[in-house]
Amino acid sequence: MLAAMPPTPPSTPERDEARKRDRGDACPGALRLHAADDGRLARLRLPAGRLTAHQAETLAAAAETLGDGRISLTSRGNAELRGLTEECGAELAALLAEAGLLPSPTHERVRNIVASPGAGLDGLGGPEVQLWARELDALLCAEPWAAALSGRFLFVLDDGRADVAGLGGDVTLVAVDPSTAPDPGAAQEPGAAQEPGAAQEPGAAQEPDAARLYVGGRAWRVAGADAPRAALAAAGAFLDAARAAGTGAWRVRELPEGCAPDVAGALDRAGIAAEPVTPADSLMVYGPPLTPGPLGPTSLYVLAPLGRLTAAQLRALLPAEEVRLTPWRGAVVVGAEPSEDRLAALDSHGLITHPVSPWAGVSACTGRPGCAKSLADVRADAAPGSTRGLPVHYSGCERRCGHPHGTWVDVVATADGAYLVDGAPTPRTALPDAVTTARTTR
């Protein structure tokens, strides 16, 4: 069921973020490796989570030969390699560049683009927003000024089914009915209430006819053909506002009062026709994430246990036309007939292929021994607790790295060897029952 929500989705506060930044963004990337207790960490931005078959094989090989043999999936559909040696940076960069995973060394950390991963595959949602993602990525990489964006700045592209619209994007595009597209030659009444996009034939790839652009609690209607350029213009407006504010803001929500981005002005300067949407009519809708199993006639969806794939599990997804990593730490396999045999084979590799799996919706941070700040080996302690209900995230400390967006069961390790489950002290041995209760009673 879809539910109405404010123009800017209520985001979970970043518990370790300050409103005034006195340092640069140290977010890791593919070239800027982060030093962790288990070795170096590389974070690869994958716009729309997209991997070709060759890129998936390259990622698996890099994990095996340079890292710990695993690929961690992030809440933005990106990928992380861990356990890397200090000397492997040049070799890793060469591997990624050869596979087309490093199109711009100067912009590689700003390519944070989440898109509806089921777009064009299952007949739900609207047009193929994957086209937006590819165009926006190319536009970002082509603009020198875009490299100044934080590695945490997020673009969200929703195909109208509302599965990713609520992920707290700094710039969010939502495909809408073409009848609401602005007519550059005629004035229109702003704001019919948005509805999720109409169904289309599975596999039909077309450019969206219209979009709503959401930034900082306001919305504008633009033509679908202009949507990627509109998103880029909005990002530029944010950078202008952040410089004027002088607070070092990395995200739109960090801008102080009175320093809202001049999105309308940026769109006008870019020559993009846009109609403002009234606050009363700018409500988004939000819907559930994909569930594991068949996804249309030629695709399927699986989840990675605790958000990690082994190299063997990633290879098990092949052959495929492409693989789309999702912000729910799963993978859409495009061009794979979702037969019982194929799903059974993936299940035998330890992948989550059914929505009633007790591990569906369960994630965890790195924990010990990989993270020096963690108070526990949360991956070893994680317990699903239920086959349904809210997502669960296990955190090794109060920073809660990698937590889901929105509402989740919050399991946090404490210094005495126990946990807090939604704030309630809980012994490690009582986690399954406590998590079951929390997942199903809220």
Side-chain angles (χ1 to χ4, degrees):
M1 178 180 293
L2 300 175
M5 64 189 301
T8 298
S11 60
T12 304
E14 298 288 346
R15 296 170 170 88
D16 61 335
E17 282 190 351
R19 288 299 176 182
K20 186 170 183 178
R21 305 288 188 183
D22 57 4
R23 61 178 176 83
D25 176 18
C27 200
L31 300 179
R32 178 190 289 180
L33 306 187
H34 170 73
D37 271 20
D38 57 349
R40 299 282 172 168
L41 176 154
R43 183 174 299 158
L44 283 63
R45 268 65 175 190
L46 304 173
R50 182 175 179 267
L51 290 167
T52 65
H54 174 59
Q55 289 170 339
E57 174 56 43
T58 297
L59 199 54
E64 284 182 329
T65 60
L66 303 176
D68 64 3
R70 294 177 175 84
I71 300 95
S72 296
L73 310 187
T74 78
S75 59
R76 294 181 168 191
N78 292 321
E80 289 182 349
L81 299 175
R82 301 189 66 97
L84 300 168
T85 65
E86 292 188 17
E87 301 79 19
C88 78
E91 184 177 356
L92 175 62
L95 279 173
L96 298 178
E98 183 279 329
L101 290 168
L102 197 60
S104 173
T106 56
H107 291 64
E108 57 97 4
R109 294 189 312 126
V110 305
R111 302 168 67 226
N112 290 304
I113 303 172
V114 171
S116 296
L121 301 176
D122 58 359
L124 299 178
E128 177 58 277
V129 299
Q130 296 283 325
L131 298 175
W132 281 352
R134 297 176 197 180
E135 183 178 349
L136 176 57
D137 185 33
L139 291 170
L140 273 173
C141 292
E143 288 289 354
W145 61 259
L149 290 169
S150 163
R152 305 188 189 194
F153 193 90
L154 178 63
F155 297 90
V156 171
L157 316 180
D158 193 289
D159 71 351
R161 76 181 68 205
D163 58 341
V164 297
L167 294 183
D170 295 283
V171 175
T172 298
L173 289 170
V174 179
V176 297
D177 187 278
S179 65
T180 66
D183 181 352
Q188 295 186 4
E189 288 296 319
Q194 176 185 334
E195 296 294 336
Q200 64 176 18
E201 288 298 317
Q206 64 187 72
E207 189 165 348
D209 294 293
R212 280 192 178 177
L213 171 70
Y214 292 85
V215 184
R218 298 192 61 192
W220 295 261
R221 288 195 308 278
V222 299
D226 293 330
R229 289 197 304 123
L232 184 71
F238 160 75
L239 282 179
D240 290 341
R243 292 189 189 101
T247 58
W250 295 345
R251 315 248 354 236
V252 170
R253 66 171 176 261
E254 295 179 8
L255 291 171
E257 291 286 337
C259 292
D262 180 15
V263 176
L267 293 173
D268 183 63
R269 289 188 294 274
I272 298 171
E275 290 283 348
V277 179
T278 63
D281 291 324
S282 63
L283 295 181
M284 285 187 185
V285 293
Y286 62 91
L290 297 179
T291 57
L295 186 65
T298 60
S299 302
L300 55 86
Y301 180 51
V302 298
L303 292 170
L306 293 179
R308 280 191 180 182
L309 292 171
T310 65
Q313 286 173 329
L314 181 55
R315 288 193 179 100
L317 302 179
L318 304 176
E321 293 176 14
E322 65 182 37
V323 174
R324 300 175 186 175
L325 304 185
T326 77
W328 313 290
R329 296 181 170 88
V332 170
V333 187
V334 181
E337 182 181 352
S339 64
E340 291 186 8
D341 288 346
R342 183 70 188 270
L343 290 169
L346 294 174
D347 185 74
S348 70
H349 279 85
L351 295 164
I352 299 168
T353 62
H354 199 283
V356 300
S357 167
W359 289 101
V362 182
S363 59
C365 73
T366 297
R368 286 180 178 171
C371 178
K373 291 182 170 60
S374 182
L375 301 173
D377 184 351
V378 292
R379 291 180 173 273
D381 292 343
S386 176
T387 60
R388 60 186 178 87
L390 288 173
V392 182
H393 187 71
Y394 289 80
S395 303
C397 73
E398 62 183 10
R399 296 185 306 157
R400 296 168 170 85
C401 293
H403 65 72
H405 196 83
T407 303
W408 78 95
V409 176
D410 185 33
V411 185
V412 183
T414 57
D416 59 0
Y419 283 84
L420 297 176
V421 178
D422 286 340
T426 305
R428 180 186 290 111
T429 54
L431 280 177
D433 289 342
V435 170
T436 292
T437 299
R439 291 191 84 177
T440 57
T441 59
R442 268 211 284 162

